[in-house]
Amino acid sequence: MATNCSVQMNELLRFLQRSSHRTLMEWLEAHLADGCESCHSRVAWLIKLGEDLAPDALGQVNVARSIPDPRLRSVPMALRGSLADVRQELFEARSDIRIDVQIEETDPDSFTLEGQVMIFDGEGKSGKGAVVSLYQGGERLAKTTATVIGEFTFTGADSGTYDMTILVDDACVVVPDLEV
């Protein structure tokens, strides 16, 4: 999806869920009325995603946020250069779902995305069976089911910007604007 605009997906989701502050709601209404193509396509995708889940399921959608991973800062500078073809990012949704994503260039402009869905809710759940999908431009390009320990893999992804969704238990987590 095009990201020519500074409006974040979580702001658009709160707008659709009607949970934004009144001033922000008014600003976003005016922004959408001005015809921002990027925001219109994101709003349309979020609405379709909510409808695909179930009627009135938009409230189950959560946008993940990137969280700093202290393990990555501890890698010595000399080794970081050798890891240039591999990037790792950690995301969190709600307070109990984490998604660890590793992106590796396997061929020029061809990438493998590997990851793990982890649930920290005190009940010993894993990301087992989570349905992970990769979207670009609002279209689902790939879908897979996480293993018994929550791991998933997508191979042969082209460079670009993707949105990833993870359906786990009663939630749909969106990892927006994943740069590959």
Side-chain angles (χ1 to χ4, degrees):
M1 252 172 239
T3 55
N4 307 336
C5 179
S6 64
V7 175
Q8 300 292 312
M9 188 177 288
N10 61 344
E11 294 169 324
L12 293 172
L13 179 62
R14 285 194 306 268
F15 171 77
L16 291 172
Q17 294 169 336
R18 299 291 186 208
S19 61
S20 292
H21 185 273
R22 184 178 55 95
T23 306
L24 181 58
M25 291 286 290
E26 291 169 357
W27 184 87
L28 283 170
E29 285 174 2
H31 178 72
L32 289 166
D34 285 344
C36 177
E37 260 185 63
S38 176
C39 287
H40 274 283
S41 65
R42 287 181 160 286
V43 164
W45 180 71
L46 285 167
I47 290 170
K48 182 179 181 319
L49 182 63
E51 289 170 352
D52 288 349
L53 295 173
D56 300 321
L58 202 54
Q60 298 173 10
V61 177
N62 299 275
V63 176
R65 65 180 179 86
S66 180
I67 58 175
D69 189 345
R71 296 174 298 166
L72 299 179
R73 283 184 286 189
S74 66
V75 175
M77 288 298 285
L79 293 177
R80 289 183 192 167
S82 66
L83 298 174
D85 293 340
V86 178
R87 286 184 296 117
Q88 187 168 356
E89 294 185 58
L90 188 59
F91 300 92
E92 181 179 60
R94 301 189 314 197
S95 62
D96 61 340
I97 300 173
R98 292 208 180 120
I99 303 98
D100 191 357
V101 178
Q102 181 174 301
I103 303 166
E104 179 178 6
E105 186 171 15
T106 52
D107 292 313
D109 290 329
S110 183
F111 297 83
T112 296
L113 281 78
E114 297 178 322
Q116 185 175 23
V117 178
M118 299 162 282
I119 302 173
F120 300 94
D121 68 351
E123 295 180 22
K125 291 183 181 178
S126 71
K128 174 185 177 183
V131 177
V132 185
S133 298
L134 206 55
Y135 290 82
Q136 192 173 47
E139 298 296 319
R140 181 169 40 205
L141 303 178
K143 176 179 167 182
T144 190
T145 302
T147 67
V148 69
I149 58 173
E151 293 180 333
F152 61 89
T153 303
F154 295 106
T155 58
D158 295 331
S159 62
T161 303
Y162 295 86
D163 292 314
M164 185 168 49
T165 62
I166 298 98
L167 297 174
V168 58
D169 294 334
D170 62 342
C172 175
V173 176
V174 176
V175 177
D177 302 325
L178 194 58
E179 291 290 330
V180 174

